[in-house]
C-alpha cells in the first residue's frame, strides 16, 4: 500500500480567489472500529458542486500549478463573498459519497478487508478514506465500484420523499426535474409502491425517457400548455406534495398554483383565502441559485420548506432508516442504478475545460470521479 | 324596527366589471338559537378589502347609480380575472366582524335582547345581521360599539401568533409591519407575557409610536442598516419565528436571511447546507400582492407558510381558543383597543374619493363603518 494519498481540496481566500488542489497526505492507520478504504469511484452530485465551486464565476476558471500538482482557480465576485464567509480560508475536502475496496481495518474489523463498500460522509474525492462501518454498505462480491458509488444520496433522497409523503398524510407526489438520476429512481419506487407521481420534465427527450421506464404522468415545462397540463395531472392524481430541485425561478410557485387550481375545482363556493386543501412543496436542491419567485395565487393554506437528506435521516425513526437502506442494497442494480456520462480522474476534475462541463448540472448528465 | 335593511354587496362580472352596491333586504325573523343584531360598527380590515375590491384597478373607481341607491364600479384587468374565477357573477356580502345591539332573538335567547355584542362571521357591512351566540361576545353594558367592533380578527390573530410560537417550540417573534393595530396589540401581549418581540416598522414615526407603548426591539426597514439591525435584534432575542403581513417583495426573505445569519454566528464550522436551526416565517396577509421574492441564502432548514386565523382556530384546542376569547373580553379597552382614523357610513364607503383612501391599507390607519 502507498504511504501517501491525494485528497481534493477547495479553498476560497479572503480576497475572493477559489482554489482547488490535490493535497498529498499520509495514509492513516485504521484504529479499532475503523476501516481504511481505497476510493475507486465517487459521483459528482449537485450537492458536491456547491461546496466545490462555491459562488465562483465559472467564466474565470484557470489552470495553474504543474502537471503533477495541478491547481484550478476562479474568481468569486465580491458581492457573493459574504454568503461563504464561514468557509473563507479553510481548505475543505469534497465528495459526499463513493465506493471502494477496504484495504485496512482495525483489529476488530479484519473480516471486512478485501470487501467493496459504498460510503457516505464527505471527503470521498481522495485516494483513501478512513471511515466507520456505520457509514458503509458492504456490497456483494460481484458489485462494481461504479455500481456502489451513489447508493446513498440519490436513493435515500428518493425513498425519503416517499417516507415524507406517508408521514404527512399525502398520497401522491409532484417532482421536478423528473428526468434526473434521482427522478428515475423515484419513478421506479412509486411504480413498485403504487404511488401516483407527476413528473415535470424539460424536454420531449426527457419525457420519452421517463415513459420508457414506465412513468404515467409526465408534463413538459417547455410547452405552452405546461401550467394547464400540470393542473390536470394534479387533479387526476390528487398530488398536493411537491419536491423541487430547481429552487430558483417559478417552479415552486407553478406547482403551488397548479395544486390550488386543482383543489379549487372541488370547492362549493368562493373563498378569498383560497382553498382549505394543504399544499406542500419542498425545495431540496438549488440547481437555479437565483431568487425563488412566488406568485401567490394559492391562498393561505400552503407551506414551502427546505428538504435536506441529512436532517430527514436525523429525525426519522431508525427502523424506517434501516428499511430504506435494506431496500437500496437489495435493488442496487435495478431501482437504484445510476448512469454516468463519463468517468474522470482526480486530475481531470481540475482541468478547466472538463470542470466547465461537469459543473453545468444538466439533468440526466452525471460524472463519476475515479481517483 | 324597520322592515328592511341595507347590505353592502360586491360583484365582479364575467366581463371584468367590479360593482359594489347596497342591496335592500327584508329584516329576517330570528329563529330558536338565533339573534338579530342591528350593526352599529364594523372595521374595514385588510382582509375585507381583498373581497370588497378584488383585483380591481383602483384608478378606475367611478360613482354610478343614484344618491339613495349608489353604486361604485371599477375595472378588473383582464389578466387578473382568472384569479377570481370562482366569484364571478356572485353578489357577495362583506365585513368579517362588527358590533351591534341585539334587537331580536329566538324564544330561547330573549335574555340577550338589548345587549351589545361583538360578532364574527362575514356580512357585517349591513344594517342587520342574523347570527348565533357562538359567533358573538356579549359586551359589558358600558362598552361602545366602536370598542366592540374589532374584537375578533386582530386580537385573536395576535394571540394566535403567541399560541403558534408556543406550539412550535419557539421563544420569540419577528413581526412586520409592527405598527399596525394588530402589531400594537402584539407588543402589549408580548410585554405582558414576557416574550421577546422584534418589531419591524417602516418609519421613524412608527418606531416612536411603538417605543411609546413599551416595545423594546424595533428595527426600521426604511434605514440603510435595516438588514444588519434585524440580524442583531434576532441574535439578541433568538427569534426564529416570523409573521409577515406584507407578503409580496422581500420582507419574508429578509427575515429568513437575518435569522440564518444570526444562527450562523453560533456555528462551529461551515456547512454548505446552512445552519441546522429551524427558521419559520408565516405570511398572514398580503398588503403587497406582488410576487414574494426569496433570496435563499438561508440554507435548507427553513419553512415558509400561509397563516390564516380561521384555519388556526379550527385546529386549535377548544380550551386554548376559549382562553384567548376570555382574554380579549377582559382586556378589550386596554390590550385590544383599536384606533380608527375615521368613521364612515355605508353610503360613504361607496364614494370613490373615500374608497380610494381607505383602500390604501396604510399601516396604523383604520376606518370604521357605521351603518
Amino acid at each position: 500500500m502507498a504511504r501517501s494519498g491525494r485528497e481534493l481540496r477547495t479553498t476560497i481566500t479572503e480576497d475572493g480567489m477559489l482554489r482547488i488542489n490535490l493535497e498529498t497526505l499520509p495514509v492513516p492507520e485504521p484504529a479499532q472500529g475503523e476501516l481504511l478504504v481505497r476510493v475507486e469511484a465517487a459521483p459528482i452530485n449537485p450537492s458536491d458542486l456547491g461546496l466545490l465551486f462555491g459562488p465562483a464565476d465559472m467564466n474565470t476558471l484557470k489552470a495553474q500549478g504543474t502537471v503533477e500538482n495541478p491547481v484550478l482557480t476562479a474568481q468569486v465576485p465580491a458581492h457573493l463573498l459574504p454568503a461563504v464567509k464561514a468557509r473563507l480560508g479553510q481548505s475543505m475536502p469534497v465528495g459526499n459519497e463513493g465506493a471502494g475496496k477496504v484495504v485496512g481495518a482495525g483489529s476488530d474489523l479484519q473480516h471486512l478487508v478485501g470487501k467493496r463498500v459504498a460510503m457516505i460522509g464527505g471527503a470521498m474525492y481522495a485516494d483513501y478514506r478512513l471511515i466507520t462501518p456505520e457509514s458503509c454498505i458492504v456490497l456483494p462480491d460481484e458489485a462494481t465500484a461504479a455500481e456502489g458509488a451513489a447508493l446513498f444520496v440519490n436513493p435515500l433522497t428518493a425513498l425519503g420523499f416517499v417516507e415524507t409523503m406517508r408521514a404527512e398524510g399525502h398520497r401522491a407526489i409532484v417532482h421536478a426535474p423528473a428526468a434526473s438520476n434521482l427522478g428515475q429512481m423515484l419513478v421506479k419506487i412509486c411504480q413498485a409502491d403504487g404511488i401516483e407521481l407527476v413528473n415535470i420534465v424539460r424536454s420531449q427527450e426527457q419525457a420519452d425517457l421517463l415513459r420508457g421506464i414506465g412513468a404515467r404522468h409526465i408534463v413538459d415545462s417547455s410547452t405552452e400548455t405546461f401550467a394547464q397540463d400540470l393542473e390536470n395531472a394534479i387533479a387526476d392524481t390528487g398530488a398536493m406534495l411537491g419536491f423541487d430541485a430547481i429552487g430558483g425561478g417559478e417552479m415552486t410557485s407553478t406547482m403551488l398554483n397548479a395544486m390550488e387550481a386543482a383543489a379549487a375545482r372541488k370547492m362549493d363556493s368562493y373563498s378569498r383565502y383560497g382553498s382549505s386543501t394543504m399544499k406542500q412543496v419542498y425545495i431540496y436542491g438549488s440547481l437555479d441559485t437565483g431568487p425563488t419567485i412566488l406568485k401567490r395565487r394559492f391562498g393561505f393554506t400552503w407551506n414551502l420548506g427546505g428538504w435536506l437528506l441529512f436532517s430527514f435521516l436525523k429525525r426519522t425513526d431508525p427502523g424506517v432508516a434501516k428499511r430504506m437502506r435494506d431496500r437500496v442494497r437489495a435493488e442496487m442494480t435495478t431501482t437504484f442504478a445510476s448512469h454516468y456520462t463519463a468517468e474522470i480522474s482526480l486530475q481531470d476534475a481540475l482541468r478547466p475545460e472538463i470542470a466547465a462541463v461537469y459543473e453545468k448540472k444538466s439533468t440526466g448528465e452525471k460524472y463519476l470521479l475515479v481517483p
Side-chain angles (χ1 to χ4, degrees), chain A residues 39-331:
Chain A
V39 182
E40 296 173 306
I44 301 180
N45 288 321
S47 53
D48 297 313
L49 292 168
L51 180 61
L52 192 55
F53 294 112
D57 177 356
M58 297 305 286
N59 294 317
T60 63
L61 283 178
K62 216 151 102 182
Q64 304 208 322
T66 63
V67 175
E68 283 86 53
N69 200 2
V71 175
L72 180 63
T73 65
Q75 296 295 330
V76 177
H79 71 281
L80 298 177
L81 271 180
V84 288
K85 206 171 64 178
R87 63 170 283 188
L88 293 183
Q90 294 178 57
S91 167
M92 310 192 77
V94 189
N96 273 323
E97 62 183 344
K101 270 264 168 75
V102 178
V103 294
S107 57
D108 55 331
L109 296 172
Q110 284 295 319
H111 60 286
L112 291 176
V113 174
K115 293 279 183 192
R116 190 163 266 151
V117 292
M119 304 177 282
I120 183 132
M124 297 295 166
Y125 298 170
D127 286 319
Y128 294 95
R129 179 70 162 83
L130 199 65
I131 201 158
T132 61
E134 291 72 37
S135 299
C136 298
I137 295 175
V138 177
L139 300 176
D141 289 342
E142 67 277 15
T144 68
E147 285 170 343
L151 290 189
F152 282 92
V153 178
N154 280 343
L156 293 182
T157 299
L159 288 171
F161 291 174
V162 172
E163 294 299 338
T164 299
M165 181 200 78
R166 293 190 177 119
E168 298 184 3
H170 290 278
R171 58 190 180 123
I173 294 172
V174 182
H175 182 227
S180 62
N181 265 302
L182 191 159
Q184 296 177 43
M185 293 177 190
L186 191 59
V187 167
K188 294 174 191 167
I189 294 167
C190 288
Q191 212 170 9
D193 292 10
I195 295 164
E196 298 269 38
L197 175 67
V198 177
N199 296 279
I200 299 176
V201 298
R202 300 196 257 199
S203 69
Q204 186 56 48
E205 292 69 39
Q206 294 180 350
D208 294 342
L209 187 156
L210 290 194
R211 214 174 303 280
I213 61 171
R216 287 176 49 199
H217 306 279
I218 303 172
V219 289
D220 182 347
S221 64
S222 70
T223 66
E224 279 185 15
T225 57
F226 170 52
Q228 189 60 51
D229 294 346
L230 183 59
E231 179 187 325
N232 290 340
I234 290 172
D236 286 350
T237 57
M240 294 291 161
L241 171 66
F243 292 92
D244 173 27
I246 303 166
E250 296 192 22
M251 183 55 82
T252 54
S253 184
T254 304
M255 283 186 190
L256 288 166
N257 279 314
M259 289 173 182
E260 175 68 5
R265 292 188 189 180
K266 296 186 178 173
M267 287 172 71
D268 297 329
S269 62
Y270 174 72
S271 164
R272 79 212 86 161
Y273 307 116
S275 79
S276 60
T277 303
M278 177 50 84
K279 298 157 287 286
Q280 170 78 53
V281 174
Y282 287 108
I283 293 178
Y284 76 94
S286 200
L287 297 175
D288 177 348
T289 56
T292 306
I293 312 292
L294 303 179
K295 295 184 173 170
R296 289 168 294 114
R297 294 186 298 268
F298 40 75
F300 282 89
T301 309
W302 58 277
N303 206 61
L304 174 63
W307 195 97
L308 190 61
L309 177 61
F310 304 107
S311 313
F312 168 80
L313 290 174
K314 224 179 259 178
R315 65 174 183 266
T316 293
D317 180 82
V320 171
K322 184 179 180 307
R323 169 155 54 85
M324 289 165 65
R325 272 187 192 219
D326 289 348
R327 183 166 179 179
V328 173
R329 196 188 291 108
E331 302 174 21

